């Protein structure tokens, strides 16, 4: 089991807000995914979360967050200390900016339905349960698109604690790398970096799921949701 990369945004947001309680995470910049973070339920290991304010104005606080672990041998010997898995800068503000608006894409005869490789039973990295959040993945002349429609219980004790929609961000990352090779091969890809994520609303996945399906769009220049 491996922690989905976009779940690092939740960890970073919580760490940043711990330094500035009452402020809202309105975005992330310079996200770097350096190593997969393996999760072993029967062998818990301490994770190190480093957070520090690197810039501050009356309207914006920038917090640098890094998540690291020690590499430990089965006999308990520490082989390497504080190896970085993820780093990012969290943008905190006291209110959210006004959201831009995108026009919906019109259906196009050239659209091609492409399955999400992370949902295929034979996938090397298989997502199941609450991690299956997108349907209708397809290629469009203007980019890629899908529908975000998670199946989450309204009173779920886990997702209700989240500050950011990590499942939605994970789905957006997946459609962003959606590709079709030789007309039938769909490669599995994982991000190594994200330049920027902007948030315009204080909502986690449960809050967004209650609104009904959300259309996701990915263009060569940026990802967007409506």
């Amino acid at each position: 089991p491996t922690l989905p990369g976009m779940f690092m945004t939740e960890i970073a947001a919580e760490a940043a807000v711990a330094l500035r309680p009452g402020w809202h995470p309105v975005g992330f910049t310079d996200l770097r995914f350096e190593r997969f973070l393996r999760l072993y339920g029967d062998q818990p290991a301490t994770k190190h979360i480093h957070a520090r304010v690197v810039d501050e104005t009356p309207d914006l606080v920038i917090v640098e967050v890094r998540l690291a672990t020690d590499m430990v041998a089965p006999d308990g010997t520490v082989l390497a200390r504080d190896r970085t898995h993820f780093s990012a800068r969290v943008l905190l503000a006291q209110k959210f900016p006004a959201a831009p608006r995108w026009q919906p894409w019109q259906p196009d005869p050239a659209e091609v339905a492409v399955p999400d490789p992370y949902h295929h039973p034979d996938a090397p990295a298989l997502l199941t349960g609450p991690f299956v959040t997108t349907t209708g993945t397809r290629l469009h002349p203007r980019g890629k698109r899908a529908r975000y429609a998670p199946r989450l219980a309204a009173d779920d004790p886990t997702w209700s604690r989240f500050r950011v929609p990590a499942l939605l961000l994970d789905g957006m990352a997946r459609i962003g790398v959606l590709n079709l090779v030789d007309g039938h091969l769909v490669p599995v890809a994982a991000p190594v970096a994200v330049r920027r994520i902007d948030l315009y609303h204080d909502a986690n996945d449960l809050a967004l799921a209650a609104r009904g399906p959300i259309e996701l769009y990915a263009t060569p220049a940026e990802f967007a949701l409506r």
Side-chain angles (χ1 to χ4, degrees), residues 120-151:
H120 193 281
D122 297 327
L126 178 63
L127 296 179
T128 60
F131 299 100
V132 180
T133 59
T134 54
T135 62
T137 50
R138 53 208 186 274
L139 302 181
H140 187 279
R142 295 180 60 182
K144 301 113 182 230
R145 63 182 305 182
R147 181 172 294 109
Y148 167 78
R151 297 185 292 272

Side-chain angles (χ1 to χ4, degrees), residues 76-87:
T77 302
V78 177
L79 304 177
R81 292 191 180 278
D82 214 35
R83 295 197 315 162
T84 299
H85 291 267
F86 164 85
S87 62

Side-chain angles (χ1 to χ4, degrees), residues 28-103:
F28 305 87
T29 64
D30 303 322
L31 293 90
R32 296 287 184 269
F33 308 94
E34 298 188 21
R35 293 179 177 86
F36 290 113
L37 182 59
R38 307 295 185 186
L39 305 175
Y40 303 100
D42 58 340
Q43 299 176 10
T46 299
K47 314 299 188 292
H48 309 151
I49 301 173
H50 307 269
R52 65 188 183 96
V53 175
V54 294
D55 198 5
E56 185 170 5
T57 69
D59 300 318
L60 183 70
V61 176
I62 302 177
V63 180
E64 188 174 76
V65 179
R66 184 172 66 90
L67 186 147
T69 62
D70 294 338
M71 178 187 290
V72 182
D75 64 359
T77 302
V78 177
L79 304 177
R81 292 191 180 278
D82 214 35
R83 295 197 315 162
T84 299
H85 291 267
F86 164 85
S87 62
R89 290 191 169 193
V90 185
L91 310 180
L92 297 176
Q94 293 187 320
K95 63 179 181 178
F96 286 86
R101 288 188 173 273
W102 290 271
Q103 293 299 318

Side-chain angles (χ1 to χ4, degrees), residues 13-32:
E14 292 187 17
V17 172
L19 296 182
R20 289 295 184 273
W23 289 61
H24 302 287
V26 298
F28 305 87
T29 64
D30 303 322
L31 293 90
R32 296 287 184 269

